[in-house]
Amino acid sequence: MSRPSRLVGLRLAGAAAACMLVLVACGTGRTGSHDDRRPPAHPPVTTTTGDWRGVAEALGRTGTLSDGSVYRVPLPRTDLEVTSHGVGIEPALALGGSANFARYHDGTMLMGDLVVTERELPRVTDALQKAGIAQTALHKHLLAQHPDVWWTHLHAMGRPVALARGVKAVLAATGTPPAPRTPATPRPLPLDTDRIDHALGAEGITADGVHRFVFGRSGPVTDGRHLLPHTLGLSTAIAFQPLGHGRAAVNGDFVLTADETQPVIRALRRGRIDLVELHNHSQDEHPRLFFLHFWSTGDGVTLARALRPALEASAVTPAG
């Protein structure tokens, strides 16, 4: 399916982002900050799946390599039966955590998030502290949920296998099930995904019972001397879960700079999209980023059209 002509601006933004990433990595780019004396930022080292074998063995779970640099291990809570406003939540809609690893010149970075129940949360916090893994955010993705579940975000630098062992110890404080031995068989969704794609100006991916979109920041994001790819969790994510007869529940979050938050809030509310949370995921990124979580139900195509102005009010580009 061809993309709409309105995506030209997004493509140009993506090209501009690539140029900016090169400039920042060389220490000559400007990020909009008044502080031009920031040290040069380095991108992650290129790796292969085999380079992460020790991490997979330590975790007892395999991941996938994105852009040759970020090794992502999914941690879905398929053991939980969560409802929100009468909707049974698919894990891929709002119950999927992950551990993401990237190798840099000075060590391996861990960034990720875990879905935990309210009863598990104190044990998870203690396990994170014991493992030397920072807890950088704590929040919810859903309104009026039952039972109560929380998302806790992780950050650490160190040796990859030691980080993976720390994550495994934290997972032992939860009911997160082992990874499935075989991937789930994709199934068609009762949604008009072509029209949803057209309305959002991007091509979504259908998997695990939802139709999902990912948009990366158009400009560079750094953490000290580390250039952060969007695959470390710095992305706008939108997922549609079918409810029958073309209807859907939509859930996700926008990644925003401070000056984008109010325009996006206004755009969402004009589309009758409910807000869930506005908060940080990390603590040392530049520029400062905020994540705005949202929720709504209704006709899937109508919801996609309502979300498009919010996308256009933020500097993101389709990331696949």
Side-chain angles (χ1 to χ4, degrees):
M1 183 184 77
S2 62
R3 293 191 178 187
S5 60
R6 284 180 292 176
L7 265 184
V8 172
L10 285 176
R11 291 197 185 98
L12 291 176
C19 294
M20 291 178 71
L21 285 172
V22 171
L23 288 172
V24 171
C26 295
T28 59
R30 293 176 181 263
T31 63
S33 168
H34 294 294
D35 181 10
D36 292 329
R37 296 170 297 175
R38 298 179 67 86
H42 299 272
V45 175
T46 299
T47 58
T48 67
T49 301
D51 292 327
W52 300 104
R53 187 175 296 111
V55 166
E57 291 174 352
L59 272 173
R61 302 165 186 267
T62 58
T64 56
L65 189 64
S66 299
D67 300 326
S69 59
V70 177
Y71 188 69
R72 181 181 185 275
V73 182
L75 302 169
R77 290 303 300 263
T78 54
D79 58 311
L80 298 178
E81 296 183 2
V82 178
T83 60
S84 180
H85 291 286
V87 176
I89 304 300
E90 291 280 355
L93 181 72
L95 300 173
S98 66
N100 309 299
F101 301 83
R103 184 178 299 173
Y104 286 89
H105 65 289
D106 58 348
T108 295
M109 179 180 291
L110 162 69
M111 291 183 70
D113 45 19
L114 303 177
V115 182
V116 301
T117 66
E118 198 156 293
R119 180 172 294 182
E120 294 168 345
L121 182 55
R123 297 195 300 271
V124 166
T125 297
D126 293 343
L128 287 169
Q129 293 298 313
K130 185 175 181 180
I133 298 174
Q135 191 172 19
T136 57
L138 181 63
H139 60 92
K140 294 186 177 182
H141 280 200
L142 298 166
L143 298 169
Q145 58 187 317
H146 180 79
D148 283 325
V149 291
W150 296 80
W151 285 54
T152 183
H153 285 259
L154 323 175
H155 182 275
M157 290 289 298
R159 299 189 304 276
V161 173
L163 293 174
R165 288 173 179 159
V167 173
K168 186 173 184 179
V170 174
L171 290 175
T174 76
T176 305
R181 293 187 178 183
T182 57
T185 303
R187 63 182 188 272
L189 300 182
L191 285 175
D192 193 338
T193 54
D194 286 347
R195 292 178 65 201
I196 289 174
D197 287 357
H198 187 272
L200 280 178
E203 295 179 9
I205 296 174
T206 298
D208 302 318
V210 303
H211 193 58
R212 183 175 177 82
F213 299 83
V214 177
F215 300 82
R217 289 294 305 179
S218 300
V221 179
T222 62
D223 180 344
R225 300 188 65 178
H226 307 116
L227 193 63
L228 305 178
H230 77 87
T231 43
L232 278 175
L234 304 173
S235 58
T236 290
I238 300 173
F240 293 78
Q241 177 183 316
L243 302 179
H245 306 290
R247 289 173 51 81
V250 65
N251 186 245
D253 52 353
F254 285 81
V255 57
L256 307 167
T257 54
D259 60 343
E260 293 171 342
T261 56
Q262 303 312 309
V264 169
I265 287 173
R266 289 192 291 270
L268 290 174
R269 291 305 299 140
R270 282 195 295 269
R272 299 179 182 272
I273 306 292
D274 292 332
L275 308 184
V276 180
E277 293 269 6
L278 174 61
H279 62 101
N280 65 289
H281 282 184
S282 302
Q283 296 181 335
D284 297 311
E285 79 282 357
H286 179 82
R288 196 78 174 95
L289 295 177
F290 300 87
F291 289 78
L292 179 61
H293 294 259
F294 60 89
W295 163 271
S296 192
T297 59
D299 176 76
V301 176
T302 302
L303 289 173
R305 290 171 179 160
L307 288 164
R308 180 66 178 267
L311 282 172
E312 294 176 342
S314 60
V316 296
T317 188

